[in-house]
Amino acid sequence: MLEVEGVSARYGEATALDGASLTVGEGEVVTLVGRNGAGKTTLLRCLMGLHRPAAGRIVLAGRDITGLAAHRRARLGLGYVPDDRGIYAGLSVEENLTLPPVAAGSAWPLARVYEAFPVLAARRRFPGGRLSGGEQQMLALARVLRAGARVLLCDEPTEGLAPVAVRQIGEILRGAKEHGVSVLLVEQNLRFATTVADRHYLLAQGRVVEALDNRDVKQREDELLAHLGL
Amino acid sequence: MTSFLQQLFNGLVSGSFYALLALGLAVIFGMLRVVNFAHGALYMLGAFGAVVLGDSAGLGFWWALLLVPAALAVAGMAMERLLVQRLTALDPLYNFLLTFGIALVCQDLLRMKYGSHSQPYDHAPFSGTVDLGLFDYPAYQVFVLAVSVAVCVAVWLLLTRTRIGTVVRASTERPELTRAFGIDTRRWVTPVFGFGVALAGLAGVLAAPMRAVNSDMGADLIITVFAVVVIGGLGSVFGSVIAGFAIGMLQALGNLYVPVLSQTSVYLLMAVVLLVRPAGLFGKEEHA
């Protein structure tokens, strides 16, 4: 569904990505782990079209999107959940939800979103800035699902959330996967990662250095946590 | 008491101009992150547009009110497409210089043609006064206040009740993110710039029957309007309008009670606001 080949990116003189490659299959949840500064957020930004890669190729559903503008990528089914959740504080919950134009036939009707997320239905007229962290994260995910995203790019959706909210996020991601949605998930919480993901990539100094399955992650948890500096 | 209320009303009328101009600046800044230094000159062009339409085409005030903002909207869109847009990727200073330069060129061209003395405008739509209960007040000034309030409310409704408004507010708050959600924000930039310029033109036409129409009228006014925008919060539409009317009244009351401070009061207020709330009264800290 998503193929990333040798993507490099720089901020001025600093190299953030140095030829990162990975793939995400249809209906697959894949996490990207790595310590701070490894290039995880930059990779998602390159995939979304918000940062121009210096080299490499990005293919979405068989189509090369490397040079495509961000808004066109969104319309092809890329759904972005940025690390700060990307909630518009000045827009109501419903405006936040309905802002992205519907990209594909798999889009959720608003009624279904509200059925799946009763909290959002109850707060639909609230400004997005007044939601709790967990509610904002739910809104961020609901927003891209409503738009019909086929591949979600989620940047640390569980960061700073209470355990209840983390469980809810897990359920949402598993539910999306059941509907054939692919997810590339930046995640530092390895326990959580193994409950939602099929595979994992370890990113270090801008490169994918290892591909791991759930068993690897569980067996080498201590070693990985030490590497991540957690 | 009557003189107090009368002065307050004077303040609301000058606030009407501040609010319209600040509104245009806020909408433009929000969408483009460009501070349009040509805004005062465009206001002046609006007033001159009314004078020229009246003198050479024999078209009166109502025609001017319709045609001049429309023509300036087109000119504004051309200015955005041909000039401003080329510089938006660069340091914001380049667009400061560009729009400031455009303002100077407009002013000097009109000074060459009309000199620096004021042009008479004799197509005022109505004269006389209306009885406001406690005092009589010039009818035209009441009209200006009503138009300004109506336009500000209409823009507010447009921004909060329509799809275009949602897109503009989203782009104002998080331009980059809005693109990542499938919205081609650039498509909206040119019309929004044209709209902001049209508001300046509208203010100019409204000014023609009651203010001195000369090449300096925009430069004199715009400095206060920039203070208004800073006090209200850069990019905050609501803040600009509220601050526009509030500062009009503040100046008017200053005139009445502390004449020495009437001109400086705005800048004192601006300094205090910047110390206490650097993003302005209704502004938000910028997101990355």
Side-chain angles (χ1 to χ4, degrees), chain A residues 14-209:
Chain A
T15 301
L17 284 175
D18 187 16
S21 301
L22 56 82
T23 60
V24 183
E26 191 167 352
E28 207 180 16
V29 178
V30 174
T31 65
L32 202 55
V33 293
R35 57 168 72 184
N36 287 337
K40 305 179 302 280
T41 296
T42 305
L43 181 54
L44 291 200
R45 288 176 54 81
C46 284
L47 298 182
M48 197 60 239
L50 299 175
H51 189 90
R52 186 196 294 266
R57 224 171 135 237
I58 302 162
V59 178
L60 176 69
R63 179 170 172 182
D64 189 327
I65 60 165
T66 314
L68 217 57
H71 69 274
R72 295 202 188 280
R73 299 185 194 207
R75 295 191 169 200
L76 289 175
L78 270 188
Y80 187 45
V81 179
D83 53 353
D84 67 352
R85 301 169 191 134
I87 300 305
Y88 296 93
L91 268 58
S92 73
V93 167
E94 188 153 305
E95 285 173 325
N96 266 284
L97 271 175
T98 54
L99 178 72
V102 167
S106 59
W108 291 26
L110 202 54
R112 178 167 160 209
V113 173
Y114 284 146
E115 203 180 305
F117 305 98
V119 187
L120 299 183
R123 307 233 194 291
R124 60 203 286 176
R125 306 256 171 261
F126 275 50
R130 297 249 310 273
L131 298 185
S132 72
E135 289 165 350
Q136 287 196 349
Q137 195 64 61
M138 238 183 264
L139 175 57
L141 285 162
R143 174 168 57 188
V144 286
L145 291 172
R146 192 211 70 96
R150 293 183 292 166
V151 178
L152 304 190
L153 306 173
C154 302
D155 201 343
E156 292 210 57
T158 63
E159 196 194 13
L161 296 190
V164 189
V166 172
R167 269 201 298 282
Q168 282 174 321
I169 300 303
E171 279 162 34
I172 297 168
L173 291 175
R174 279 189 293 271
K177 175 186 162 65
E178 272 169 37
H179 286 95
V181 172
S182 311
V183 182
L184 180 59
L185 179 70
V186 169
E187 189 53 71
Q188 298 289 60
N189 179 342
L190 294 180
R191 292 269 163 86
F192 175 76
T194 54
T195 65
V196 294
D198 302 296
R199 294 187 294 117
H200 314 269
Y201 287 108
L202 181 63
L203 197 67
Q205 280 147 10
R207 286 167 180 274
V208 172
V209 292

Side-chain angles (χ1 to χ4, degrees), chain B residues 6-261:
Chain B
Q6 206 157 1
Q7 199 63 7
L8 214 55
F9 219 80
N10 291 342
L12 283 174
V13 173
S14 39
S16 300
F17 292 100
Y18 297 153
L20 282 177
L21 289 165
L23 180 60
L25 276 178
V27 174
I28 289 174
F29 179 80
M31 195 77 186
L32 287 85
R33 294 294 185 279
V34 168
V35 178
N36 181 21
F37 276 96
H39 217 65
L42 293 159
Y43 159 82
M44 170 198 71
L45 287 181
F48 269 93
V51 170
V52 169
L53 269 189
D55 289 354
S56 57
L59 294 174
F61 177 79
W62 301 108
W63 280 109
L65 200 62
L66 195 71
L67 296 178
V68 171
L72 279 171
V74 174
M77 287 195 280
M79 171 179 156
E80 199 281 328
R81 262 290 166 82
L82 300 176
L83 301 168
V84 175
Q85 203 167 76
R86 292 172 197 276
L87 301 177
T88 38
L90 305 175
D91 191 294
L93 271 177
Y94 286 95
N95 261 321
F96 283 14
L97 286 173
L98 170 73
T99 53
F100 190 57
I102 290 173
L104 293 180
V105 169
C106 290
Q107 274 175 37
D108 281 353
L109 283 177
L110 284 172
R111 195 171 295 141
M112 276 165 64
K113 176 121 174 58
Y114 295 97
S116 52
H117 44 259
S118 299
Q119 301 298 308
Y121 184 72
D122 33 42
H123 291 83
F126 31 74
S127 49
T129 59
V130 277
D131 184 2
L132 292 178
L134 288 166
F135 50 85
D136 287 345
Y137 206 78
Y140 182 74
Q141 265 82 335
V142 176
F143 167 77
V144 166
L145 177 58
V147 171
S148 175
V149 170
V151 168
C152 291
V153 170
V155 172
W156 179 249
L157 291 176
L158 188 73
L159 283 172
T160 54
R161 298 277 193 280
T162 66
R163 169 79 190 162
I164 299 173
T166 308
V167 168
V168 169
R169 281 186 297 139
S171 311
T172 298
E173 194 178 325
R174 309 281 300 268
E176 179 182 75
L177 189 66
T178 307
R179 289 200 298 280
F181 288 138
I183 291 163
D184 185 4
T185 51
R186 282 169 312 178
R187 235 182 71 201
W188 298 102
V189 161
T190 309
V192 165
F193 193 89
F195 182 74
V197 169
L199 287 176
L202 176 74
V205 176
L206 287 173
M210 60 178 278
R211 296 232 162 126
V213 179
N214 58 50
S215 55
D216 292 325
M217 67 186 288
D220 293 345
L221 190 66
I222 204 65
I223 298 172
T224 309
V225 173
F226 277 125
V228 166
V229 170
V230 170
I231 290 167
L234 211 53
S236 164
V237 165
F238 184 75
S240 309
V241 170
I242 297 297
F245 284 107
I247 280 153
M249 289 192 287
L250 179 79
Q251 279 183 332
L253 294 182
N255 259 332
L256 188 63
Y257 296 111
V258 210
V260 203
L261 283 182

